[in-house]
Every structure is written in structure tokens, then in C-alpha cells.
Amino acid sequence: MTTPRPSTPTQRKVKEAMDARDALATALTKAGIQIPAMDIRTPWAEGSRYAFVHLGQCSAPVAHALAEVITRGASR
């Protein structure tokens, strides 16, 4: 059974944000980092360019781990 494609521009934007959230969560998990409050926020008005990936709050140790992973990746 296939998943139906989103039909409206807003539904497509939400799907894009959900896919981005899931890809980011997978990448962070591979790096040993978890941000439990990740979610998506839908556009406030029809015609908005994007739905947003909301990262929520994270502790200082998680923020340091993110900075370390980003720095390592940027230095490649």
C-alpha cells in the first residue's frame, strides 16, 4: 500500500518539514545526539514559504555535542 501524496501546497510543506525533521533526527542519532523535543510547526498563513522544523530546547551538554559534531564536519 502506498502513502498518498500531499495534495495542497501546505500539506507538501508540512511533509517536507517532517522529512527534514526525520533526516536530522537520524543524523543526530548516528552522532550520538538526541533532541527529544523536535517537532514541526505549520505555516501561520496560507502561502507561507515553509513549514518549520522546531528543535525545541536542549541542555548545555547537548548544545556542546552539536557544536562539536558540526565543527568536526565543517573541518573535513
Side-chain angles (χ1 to χ4, degrees):
M1 183 173 178
T2 60
T3 303
R5 291 178 51 92
S7 59
T8 69
T10 298
Q11 289 173 329
R12 287 190 293 272
K13 291 170 191 172
V14 169
K15 170 93 169 74
E16 177 186 29
M18 290 172 64
D19 291 346
R21 177 204 58 200
D22 295 346
L24 180 58
T26 297
L28 290 171
T29 297
K30 288 180 182 177
I33 299 169
Q34 181 182 9
I35 300 179
M38 284 179 41
D39 197 2
I40 61 159
R41 299 289 188 247
T42 57
W44 293 106
E46 191 65 37
S48 295
R49 291 184 68 186
Y50 302 102
F52 297 97
V53 177
H54 179 74
L55 301 179
Q57 297 178 338
C58 67
S59 65
V62 170
H64 281 293
L66 280 170
E68 182 181 325
V69 167
I70 292 168
T71 300
R72 267 188 285 153
S75 67
R76 289 183 178 178

